[in-house]
Amino acid sequence: MKRKMFLKDLGQKVICKMKKNLENTEVPKVVVVGHVDHGKSSFIGRFLFDVGEVQKEKFDELKKASERRGVEFEFAFLLDALQDERDQGITIDTTRIFFKTKLRKYVFIDAPGHKEFIRNMITGASSADIAILIVDVDEGIKQQTKKHAYLLKLLGIEQIITLFNKMDKVNYSEEKYTQTKFDLNKYLAEIGIKCHSSIPISSKLGDNIVSLSKNMKWYSGPLFVNVLDNFKVSETKISEVIRFPVQDIYKIGEKRVVVGRIESGRISKGTKLIFLPSNERVDVKTIEVWPKAKKEYVIGDCIGITLSEQIFVDKGNMASDTIFPPKLTNRFESIVFWLSEKKISSKKKYFMKINTGEYEVSVNRIKRVIDTENLNIKKNNTVYKNDVCELVIHSSQLIPMDDYSFNKSTARFCLLDNEEIVAGGIIDLKNYPDQREVKELPKRNITPENYSVSEIDRSMKFNHRPGIIWLTGLSGSGKSTIAKNVEKKLFKRNLNVFSLDGDNLRIGLNKNLAFSPEDRTENIRRTAEVAKLFTQAGFIVLVSLISPYRSERKKARDIRSELFREIYIKASVEVCSKRDVKGLYAKAVSGEIKNFTGISSPYEEPEKPDLVINTSIEDVDESVNKLEEYILNEFSF
């Protein structure tokens, strides 16, 4: 009796506190997932009936129809709109149902559980604010239960409500509930999902859904309806980081109206925005909303804006705040759920849709394929339908995007092959740098001086042209060894030569830089600028730098492209690990060193290097002689 009164008082307090805000509350989208026949549709049907969202006439009609067909009535019949669903007993499409409790409005998304219909499950879950995972306590945790939980993680949902259904089939056994709950929570913890609440229910009889169960006096937790109404959505969604993907541009009279949906943050008149990929900064001049505009718009609002300046804006561009803009990149890692019978091909061009943008991309590399049953890494990288895999994806264009851990709403994408959706996934940018060009500050009182001795004068004196010989490759590939020996041999030939080594630069000029993608980018930029100064002094400068990103090596080349030569010192991770001259690979494998290239951070091989020196098959003398001869041919008069 005390337990019943406590829950009743709690419910009344919550209602009083939240009822005033019902009209202004965002409508949360609730997805229900789980193994086939574990009772998702039955649960939703029962819940809608218990909260008074089903008309009695509809209920009576379906009950009589079931009797005529000689089948037992199920609450799932309230949802199953397709005849073949009733015949097969499975849900094959995503059903959306608008409903309300005493506290707020919702949208239910009933996602299919059969493995052949996981594509629709992803479609439903991708936009969800609240996720519910249903488990049949009698059958226990199945493969699809684990796969659906992993997919929720993949889609950026990290907190779920778990319902343990069909308690009536196990005679309301507390022991059975506790064991199933323990097993599920163990798996959820392994994949990084938190369980918000666990509730034992019976969809068939309505236990603990809206009404307190008389059959489970051992359960002292809340009812499902109370958990749902108390689930805090707005706190996790509202952010000062603005994301406004451009859906279209309308010309209305003299106005150019940029329209879209606010995915995060707040926008009002005067808000400062940056548009990507153009990197242009403007202010919001007006907000165009019919019939009457408010002062401020937030997440979920669809609005039109005019800008303080007439900059070029196109569909698929991303507007953001100026403090935390998304990254611009043409290469990124991703966690992908493969939906097609077709095999992944690195030679094929796929169509990528992200936010409102559409891009042509290719799969650069399959990093690994994950078995969702046990979370083990599969031995081969063959990807089959319904597999989860980690891919490196390349685009010919720069794409504005967020890491899913930073902003889940803008970090989801899908891949299409001939207009067929073949994959869905999330963006992982932790290993790749931002390629956005930061606009330079105005140069005040700075006037560059012309040199008294020109670069041509120096070249004539030393009898060779200056040059940047950029040696790139993994740690342990032999860059420094080759550079030192070549420097010595060229010096003996009276060439003006100097070697810039990555480790030496990090002791001085770059000592304040770590090994994050952004710091690596700055390390390369500074080194390239120093190399440029050496060429102006007439030097052939040998640069030994891992420089793992193609985009940043291209920027280094662009500083003095006519003098830049990219030399790929080729050696596999396995070969370099065996050498491990500095003991770095052993530390990286043990986790002592983070962001180590080739182990926990990527290395992008040059696509068209000026010279390849393969130290896996060449000895030091061969490699040194090869580079020396190349430099003499390229730069000597």
Side-chain angles (χ1 to χ4, degrees):
M1 188 68 181
K2 287 182 178 179
R3 171 171 158 260
K4 191 171 183 179
M5 288 300 295
F6 169 76
L7 291 172
K8 184 177 180 181
D9 290 344
L10 178 63
Q12 288 299 322
K13 287 178 181 178
V14 172
I15 290 171
C16 292
K17 184 178 180 180
M18 296 181 64
K19 208 168 185 179
K20 297 176 183 178
N21 300 321
L22 180 58
E23 293 305 316
N24 298 321
T25 301
E26 183 182 347
V27 180
K29 293 179 283 294
V30 185
V31 67
V32 185
V33 301
H35 185 74
V36 62
D37 203 33
H38 276 204
K40 298 180 302 302
S41 297
S42 296
F43 159 72
I44 295 176
R46 179 77 205 205
F47 178 76
L48 294 175
F49 178 76
D50 285 352
V51 295
E53 288 289 289
V54 178
Q55 295 179 351
K56 187 177 184 302
E57 293 79 6
K58 180 70 173 176
F59 176 76
D60 292 339
E61 177 191 334
L62 287 170
K63 206 164 185 181
K64 289 177 182 177
S66 298
E67 291 173 1
R68 285 196 301 270
R69 298 173 67 200
V71 296
E72 183 182 358
F73 170 77
E74 296 180 21
F75 282 94
F77 294 164
L78 294 172
L79 303 184
D80 293 335
L82 301 176
Q83 181 66 38
D84 57 350
E85 288 185 5
R86 294 186 191 177
D87 294 339
Q88 296 177 40
I90 58 173
T91 303
I92 65 173
D93 200 359
T94 300
T95 306
R96 290 173 178 259
I97 308 105
F98 292 83
F99 71 98
K100 64 179 182 294
T101 65
K102 293 179 180 179
L103 299 185
R104 59 182 177 184
K105 300 174 183 177
Y106 299 87
V107 180
F108 250 140
I109 305 169
D110 177 30
H114 194 273
K115 72 176 183 178
E116 293 304 317
F117 311 124
I118 286 182
R119 181 196 309 269
N120 289 334
M121 177 259 163
I122 291 178
T123 303
S126 63
S127 61
D129 301 306
I130 302 172
I132 298 167
L133 178 63
I134 287 190
V135 180
D136 181 337
V137 289
D138 188 36
E139 286 195 7
I141 300 167
K142 297 292 185 179
Q143 182 182 5
Q144 289 300 310
T145 309
K146 291 183 176 182
K147 185 158 284 190
H148 282 199
Y150 195 90
L151 287 173
L152 292 176
K153 171 68 176 179
L154 178 103
L155 294 166
I157 297 171
E158 297 179 347
Q159 188 171 230
I160 64 173
I161 299 169
T162 54
L163 299 181
F164 296 88
N165 194 22
K166 304 188 182 182
M167 287 298 298
D168 53 300
K169 286 183 67 176
V170 295
N171 296 318
Y172 302 100
S173 168
E174 181 181 6
E175 183 180 352
K176 186 73 173 176
Y177 161 72
T178 303
Q179 184 60 51
T180 310
K181 175 183 172 183
F182 175 82
D183 294 340
L184 181 62
N185 285 348
K186 182 180 178 182
Y187 178 79
L188 294 177
E190 288 176 353
I191 63 175
I193 288 184
K194 294 179 182 178
C195 181
H196 178 277
S197 299
S198 299
I199 309 168
I201 66 165
S202 169
S203 297
K204 183 177 182 180
L205 302 175
D207 295 272
N208 289 337
I209 297 175
V210 172
S211 302
L212 193 65
S213 173
K214 297 178 180 178
N215 301 302
M216 290 180 277
K217 294 182 179 179
W218 45 264
Y219 174 71
S220 59
L223 300 173
F224 168 76
V225 67
N226 293 338
V227 169
L228 185 66
D229 284 336
N230 281 289
F231 199 101
K232 296 178 180 179
V233 176
S234 58
E235 285 189 4
T236 59
K237 296 273 284 185
I238 290 178
S239 165
E240 297 306 314
V241 175
I242 297 172
R243 293 294 182 267
F244 182 65
V246 176
Q247 191 171 27
D248 214 336
I249 295 91
Y250 297 147
K251 187 77 184 296
I252 304 174
E254 296 300 314
K255 291 182 179 179
R256 287 176 67 249
V257 182
V258 180
V259 300
R261 180 183 185 274
I262 301 174
E263 295 297 334
S264 67
R266 305 169 183 272
I267 295 179
S268 59
K269 181 180 177 181
T271 298
K272 296 184 182 299
L273 297 176
I274 182 170
F275 279 83
L276 295 173
S278 67
N279 212 22
E280 295 286 348
R281 296 172 182 245
V282 290
D283 295 341
V284 175
K285 185 177 179 181
T286 64
I287 296 181
E288 307 290 319
V289 177
W290 186 89
K292 186 178 179 181
K294 299 184 295 185
K295 289 185 177 180
E296 182 178 71
Y297 289 85
V298 296
I299 293 168
D301 286 335
C302 295
I303 62 172
I305 60 174
T306 64
L307 307 176
S308 58
E309 296 179 37
Q310 294 297 324
I311 65 169
F312 176 76
V313 178
D314 200 3
K315 178 183 176 181
N317 288 178
M318 175 73 78
S320 80
D321 60 285
T322 58
I323 306 300
F324 297 107
K327 283 186 176 182
L328 263 185
T329 182
N330 63 0
R331 192 176 298 269
F332 59 93
E333 293 177 351
S334 59
I335 303 173
V336 166
F337 191 80
W338 194 253
L339 299 166
S340 176
E341 298 286 358
K342 300 176 182 177
K343 300 296 185 226
I344 293 179
S345 172
S346 59
K347 298 178 181 179
K348 185 185 287 287
K349 294 292 184 182
Y350 295 99
F351 202 56
M352 175 180 172
K353 290 190 175 183
I354 179 169
N355 301 311
T356 57
E358 300 175 348
Y359 306 90
E360 191 177 71
V361 301
S362 58
V363 175
N364 183 256
R365 185 161 68 97
I366 301 172
K367 288 185 64 181
R368 53 185 177 177
V369 183
I370 301 164
D371 187 337
T372 53
E373 173 67 21
N374 51 31
L375 300 184
N376 289 338
I377 308 302
K378 291 187 177 181
K379 291 182 180 179
N380 62 57
N381 275 352
T382 304
V383 180
Y384 297 100
K385 184 178 180 180
N386 294 336
D387 274 347
V388 173
C389 53
E390 295 181 8
L391 306 178
V392 177
I393 295 176
H394 174 75
S395 165
S396 57
Q397 296 174 267
L398 289 173
I399 305 174
M401 58 178 64
D402 287 308
D403 188 278
Y404 88 101
S405 64
F406 177 74
N407 194 330
K408 297 175 179 58
S409 63
T410 54
R412 298 163 179 160
F413 69 93
C414 65
L415 296 179
L416 290 86
D417 182 9
N418 293 327
E419 299 185 355
E420 174 197 355
I421 296 177
V422 294
I426 58 174
I427 305 294
D428 181 355
L429 294 175
K430 64 178 179 292
N431 286 325
Y432 284 88
D434 187 359
Q435 295 180 43
R436 185 172 66 92
E437 293 287 349
V438 179
K439 292 207 170 183
E440 297 180 3
L441 294 172
K443 297 180 175 65
R444 297 187 179 93
N445 305 318
I446 299 175
T447 305
E449 289 287 339
N450 294 321
Y451 296 110
S452 300
V453 181
S454 72
E455 189 175 300
I456 295 175
D457 293 334
R458 296 177 190 274
S459 296
M460 295 301 293
K461 180 175 182 179
F462 298 128
N463 291 315
H464 66 80
R465 295 164 56 222
I468 299 173
I469 312 302
W470 194 281
L471 280 65
T472 176
L474 293 171
S475 176
S477 60
K479 299 182 300 300
S480 297
T481 300
I482 293 170
K484 285 190 296 184
N485 281 278
V486 170
E487 180 187 27
K488 188 175 182 179
K489 295 188 77 172
L490 293 177
F491 182 77
K492 286 182 177 179
R493 289 177 176 269
N494 294 318
L495 272 69
N496 201 25
V497 62
F498 189 75
S499 180
L500 289 174
D501 187 81
D503 281 356
N504 292 348
L505 289 167
R506 282 187 175 276
I507 292 172
L509 178 67
N510 297 336
K511 68 179 180 181
N512 64 322
L513 299 177
F515 292 90
S516 68
E518 289 69 31
D519 281 354
R520 286 182 185 275
T521 297
E522 178 61 13
N523 183 48
I524 294 167
R525 188 195 70 80
R526 292 183 192 177
T527 303
E529 290 290 351
V530 171
K532 173 187 172 183
L533 293 174
F534 270 93
T535 61
Q536 291 172 340
F539 280 80
I540 293 174
V541 56
L542 298 157
V543 177
S544 304
L545 208 64
I546 293 173
S547 44
Y549 307 116
R550 289 178 190 147
S551 60
E552 305 314 305
R553 294 197 298 267
K554 181 182 182 301
K555 289 178 184 177
R557 179 188 287 272
D558 289 344
I559 289 177
R560 293 217 66 179
S561 58
E562 76 281 10
L563 301 179
F564 189 99
R565 301 293 183 271
E566 184 178 45
I567 314 300
Y568 178 30
I569 310 302
K570 185 175 181 180
S572 66
V573 173
E574 291 72 25
V575 169
C576 294
S577 297
K578 288 177 181 177
R579 292 172 181 166
D580 205 10
V581 180
K582 302 175 183 178
L584 300 178
Y585 281 91
K587 291 180 179 179
V589 170
S590 68
E592 189 176 340
I593 298 178
K594 306 295 183 183
N595 301 320
F596 189 80
T597 305
I599 302 296
S600 53
S601 190
Y603 176 78
E604 298 175 2
E605 295 183 6
E607 292 179 316
K608 295 179 180 179
D610 297 290
L611 179 68
V612 177
I613 297 176
N614 191 340
T615 61
S616 298
I617 57 177
E618 299 172 9
D619 61 28
V620 174
D621 288 340
E622 286 180 282
S623 299
V624 169
N625 292 336
K626 189 175 183 179
L627 182 56
E628 180 192 16
E629 184 180 351
Y630 175 82
I631 293 171
L632 291 172
N633 288 335
E634 286 287 307
F635 297 100
S636 291
F637 290 148

